[in-house]
Every structure is written in structure tokens, then in C-alpha cells.
Amino acid sequence: FGGTSLANADRIKNVVEIIRTCLENKPIVVVSAIGGITDLLINVAKESVKGVNPNEKVEEIIEIHKKIIFDLNLNDDFLMDEFTRLYDTLNGVYLLKELSPRSLDLISSFGEIWSSKIVAEYLNSIKLPSKNYTGGEIGIITNDEFTNSEILEETYNLIKDYSINFKHIPVITGFIAKNKDGDITTLGRGGSDYSASIIGAALDA
């Protein structure tokens, strides 16, 4: 599901209804960030390195997510640590005036991580057991070319092996993977479609 499909609470409810119709096929769900969030994260990172305090923009990004969480009748406790991590990461960029490709991948990954947690939390709230994962956690391994990484061949077997552990509906971040050191990498813009294709290929979907 792309960012437009997740843009607000009503659209997320619609996504969940689609998932519900597929339960007998044991669906694997791959999600993008909520519409527009990745661009906002990248822009605030690039402004921070120039010396613009990021806190006001971070608050705007967080409020978009809090409204969706509220409209889904969820408690936002499950994302509070993540919100703090974004503040801390961007304030580090602001204070050091350094933004490496590795740091940019970390910052731009928050959107998918948050959307996957929101979808999984909502599924759980309506008694559809779910768990969120990053692409890296389920076996999408890449080289070290941050912001536009290439997957390694072993990815396919790793996903196949990990999928055996899926006891609930998995909600997986598109766009995000990891390198062999465990650092977050991203697959370039449009990477969520690519992530879903990689997972589908690995599982002979």
C-alpha cells in the first residue's frame, strides 16, 4: 500500500478491510510512509544541516501521525519513543552540521517505520493479530550504497527462511533494508513497490 492509501484514518481503515478479505491467503502487507512524509523528513534534514532548527517541522510531522492515531481510536504511547528518536537524530544533524548519506537513510526511514506500526496497532485493536517489521528484519540485505542501495542475492533465501516465523499478519516497511553491519539502508524513491516485489519473488507469490 502506497502513501496515498495511508494518508488518513479512513484510508487506513479501507486498507485493513482489504487485508481482512485476504486472510485465508495469509497476506503479507508492505506499506509506504504516509503520503508526503518522506519528502518532509528529507527536507527537514537538509534544512537542519544548514543551521535551521528542526523542532517546529518535526512537530508538524509528528502531529500528522498523532491525528491519524487519534482518529483510529488508538493511544499514541506505542510511537512516543520513535518521536523522541526523530527529534534527537535531527537535532544531532542541526548541532553538528553534518548529514551523511547513512544519516539521511536513517532519517528518511522513520516514515515507513511509523506507518507500519500504526497499521499493525490498528489491526491488533480490531482483533486481527499483527506485528510490524522493517525490511531489514525480514531479510532484505543490501550493499553499502546508502540512499540507493542494491539488494544482495542472499536476500531471497533469508526472506523465505524468516517467513516461516510469521504467526500474525506481518506489516513490513517498504523502502527500508539493512546492510551487513545492521545499518538502515533505503532502496531509492519508489522503493516500497520494489520491496513488495522482492518479497513476492522470494516467496513465489
Side-chain angles (χ1 to χ4, degrees), residues 1 5-6 28 51 54 56 61 63 67 72 79 88 107 112 125 135 139 146 152 155 162 166 171 185 192:
F1 295 99
S5 303
L6 304 163
I28 292 172
E56 186 177 331
I61 292 168
E63 282 305 314
K67 180 174 184 345
L72 291 171
L79 275 186
D88 291 347
I107 291 162
E112 272 77 9
S125 77
F146 293 100
L152 303 182
T155 288
Y162 198 92
F166 291 149
V171 181
T185 58
S192 291

Side-chain angles (χ1 to χ4, degrees), residues 90-107:
L90 282 165
N91 274 289
V93 170
Y94 168 64
L95 293 169
L96 295 171
K97 293 189 170 53
E98 287 179 11
L99 180 63
S100 66
R102 180 172 173 268
S103 297
L104 189 58
D105 267 359
L106 174 63
I107 291 162

Side-chain angles (χ1 to χ4, degrees), residues 139-169:
I140 302 180
I141 307 298
T142 72
N143 62 12
D144 296 333
E145 194 179 327
F146 293 100
T147 74
N148 195 24
S149 299
E150 294 291 334
I151 66 164
L152 303 182
E153 191 61 34
E154 64 212 66
T155 288
Y156 296 101
N157 285 331
L158 288 170
I159 293 171
K160 196 170 290 188
D161 291 345
Y162 198 92
S163 68
I164 297 164
N165 298 318
F166 291 149
K167 301 292 188 287
H168 305 322
I169 301 166

Side-chain angles (χ1 to χ4, degrees), residues 55-98:
N55 288 349
E56 186 177 331
K57 291 292 185 188
V58 172
E59 192 59 41
E60 287 177 23
I61 292 168
I62 288 173
E63 282 305 314
I64 291 168
H65 291 81
K66 281 187 170 180
K67 180 174 184 345
I68 291 172
I69 292 166
F70 177 80
D71 290 344
L72 291 171
N73 294 316
L74 302 174
N75 190 309
D76 61 13
D77 288 355
F78 69 98
L79 275 186
M80 292 311 291
D81 287 346
E82 294 288 338
F83 293 156
T84 302
R85 276 185 63 223
L86 181 60
Y87 272 117
D88 291 347
T89 304
L90 282 165
N91 274 289
V93 170
Y94 168 64
L95 293 169
L96 295 171
K97 293 189 170 53
E98 287 179 11

Side-chain angles (χ1 to χ4, degrees), residues 1 3-16 18:
F1 295 99
T4 308
S5 303
L6 304 163
N8 56 46
D10 285 340
R11 290 190 180 176
I12 289 174
K13 287 176 182 177
N14 186 53
V15 160
V16 167
I18 293 169

Side-chain angles (χ1 to χ4, degrees), residues 12 47 176:
I12 289 174
E47 290 295 307
I176 303 171

Side-chain angles (χ1 to χ4, degrees), residues 6 12 15-16 19 31 115-123 171:
L6 304 163
I12 289 174
V15 160
V16 167
I19 294 167
V31 295
S115 67
S116 69
K117 289 192 171 191
I118 290 170
V119 172
E121 192 76 10
Y122 183 66
L123 283 163
V171 181

